[in-house]
Amino acid sequence: MAGMDLTWIELSKGALEHNLGLFRESMAEGVRLLVPIKANAYGHGLAEMARVMPSCGADWLGVHSLQEAMIAQDAGATCPILVLGYVPFEGMEEVVRRGLRVMVTNWESAEALARIAEALDERVAVHLKIETGTNRQGLQGRDLLILARSIHTSKHLVLEGCYTHFANIEDTTDHSYAKMQLERFERGLEMLEKHGIRPQIRHAAASAASMLFRETHFEMIRPGISAYGLWPSRETYVSLLQEGRSSFPLRPVLSWKTVVTQVKEVVAGEYIGYGCTYRTTRGIRLAILPIGYYDGYDRGLSNVGYVLIRGQRAPVRGRICMNLTMVDVTDIGGVDLEDEVVLIGKQGEEEIKAESFASWFGTIHYEAVSRLPHHIRRRWVA
Ligand SMILES: *Cc1c(COP(=O)(O)O)cnc(C)c1O
């Protein structure tokens, strides 16, 4: 039901519990489950997800920024939170006071953090990212060793974890590059161990690696997209079959909905919307939807996308406007004011998957869901 909202996002708690349960079943005893809630929890709602994740099975939460960690804690998350992105010097006192765990990639940050921790008589848990071939954040060789040593010898820093991130597991069914990255990760860890440094928590696996390769689990896994019930890619699905692993019946957590706000007849030969990009070839019935590109219904969906109304597909006609979209409901019987419209999700026998929705405007579901606007209300359903 719409309530007072023109558009809203439904979050299934049952689906979230189910997905985290699948990961839990696939993990060895004692392995931790970190769920990334960065990017507004992949568009699902940062505060909403932070509040329920621990009771749904997450042991740790992962965020990109200090601000996200603060929102998560203020929403009630008391579990360990790891900041996976850069923390500015200005933010370090907050990190220490809040007991957050952080990734560090340079000695200036490590030193500053140690100084602040000392002043507050606290200790900060640090995770180092080992460069293995993704070549974004991360360190290798001498740089890694120097930083690891300075953290290891600091009284106010604890080198709690070391991690890495795979470049292409979800892009291919050929996992030789990932295997090479895993070897580099292990070599990096061995090098540290030779110097007496043995981080307690090693972690490497995002969704695809978590599902496909048990040997990447170490002491913690970090599945993001699949915690929310979406497959990283088709290739991951195929790889799982090829590996002969048991199935992973993920359930999408998110649905996106709106309502019909007007239905009207338009005669043949009329144009629809800005730019007159669509012209009717017959008399049609048009439904007006109160959402547009401002609401995250991408302009690339103009004359391309479809929505579900009364369990049937209604194609978009004309350009998506700032707050309005027009769809053709000629062949759907009895469409009425305030009928529920599904933009992403299931209705009756039909389903619009986040993957299809994203592909209609030339992107991937990761981007499509994470960019769903903050102003849309998130509501929990069973
Ligand atoms: C985002 C992210 C993940 C989660 O990746 P998915 O493909 O969504 O599972 C894991 N680890 C790190 C470091 C990340 O930044």
Side-chain angles (χ1 to χ4, degrees), residues 34 36 38 42 84 129 136-137 163-165 170 204-208 222-226 232 366:
L34 175 151
K38 65 193 183 195
Y42 290 54
L84 295 157
K129 192 160 194 182
R136 37 179 222 186
Q137 301 181 119
Y163 70 110
T164 195
H165 193 62
E170 49 282 311
S207 297
R222 311 185 303 261
I225 196 89
S226 300
Y366 281 84

Side-chain angles (χ1 to χ4, degrees), residues 153-324:
T153 53
S154 163
K155 278 200 222 72
H156 295 276
L157 301 180
V158 182
L159 183 55
E160 181 181 48
C162 268
Y163 70 110
T164 195
H165 193 62
F166 295 105
N168 75 341
I169 295 193
E170 49 282 311
D171 290 284
T172 173
T173 54
D174 170 4
H175 297 297
S176 48
Y177 195 75
K179 297 225 157 77
M180 184 279 294
Q181 285 193 279
L182 184 61
E183 277 163 31
R184 283 186 181 171
F185 184 52
E186 285 172 336
R187 259 185 277 136
L189 291 165
E190 280 162 24
M191 190 259 299
L192 294 180
E193 185 151 10
K194 273 194 209 120
H195 291 85
I197 304 170
R198 200 170 196 293
Q200 191 195 332
I201 306 174
R202 300 165 299 170
H203 46 115
S207 297
S210 298
M211 289 194 266
L212 292 172
F213 306 115
R214 199 68 180 291
E215 64 270 31
T216 64
H217 284 199
F218 296 98
E219 285 78 43
M220 185 158 78
I221 65 170
R222 311 185 303 261
I225 196 89
S226 300
Y228 302 101
L230 304 174
W231 280 84
S233 65
R234 259 174 236 213
E235 286 79 358
T236 305
Y237 188 83
V238 172
S239 291
L240 196 79
L241 298 178
Q242 286 177 342
E243 294 287 320
R245 298 285 299 270
S246 56
S247 69
F248 224 94
L250 296 167
R251 280 170 49 191
V253 171
L254 175 148
S255 311
W256 184 19
K257 298 182 176 179
T258 185
V259 286
V260 171
T261 53
Q262 189 183 349
V263 184
K264 66 176 174 190
E265 309 289 332
V266 179
V267 298
E270 281 290 307
Y271 296 102
I272 294 175
Y274 286 127
C276 301
T277 61
Y278 186 86
R279 191 175 193 190
T280 55
T281 52
R282 56 172 180 164
I284 64 164
R285 206 145 17 89
L286 199 66
I288 314 301
L289 310 181
I291 48 117
Y293 54 78
Y294 168 69
D295 306 290
Y297 206 68
D298 196 281
R299 197 161 170 277
L301 295 161
S302 301
N303 287 311
V304 170
Y306 63 81
V307 303
L308 302 179
I309 303 177
R310 301 203 163 220
Q312 294 185 61
R313 300 178 181 197
V316 170
R317 298 297 190 216
R319 284 196 189 144
I320 308 298
C321 313
M322 195 176 276
N323 289 124
L324 293 168

Side-chain angles (χ1 to χ4, degrees), residues 122-173:
E122 294 282 352
R123 300 184 85 196
V124 183
V126 173
H127 289 232
L128 283 183
K129 192 160 194 182
I130 301 184
E131 181 55 69
T132 60
T134 302
N135 286 305
R136 37 179 222 186
Q137 301 181 119
L139 294 165
Q140 60 190 335
R142 236 177 82 81
D143 295 337
L144 173 66
L145 182 60
I146 291 169
L147 186 56
R149 270 181 150 165
S150 77
I151 294 165
H152 187 65
T153 53
S154 163
K155 278 200 222 72
H156 295 276
L157 301 180
V158 182
L159 183 55
E160 181 181 48
C162 268
Y163 70 110
T164 195
H165 193 62
F166 295 105
N168 75 341
I169 295 193
E170 49 282 311
D171 290 284
T172 173
T173 54

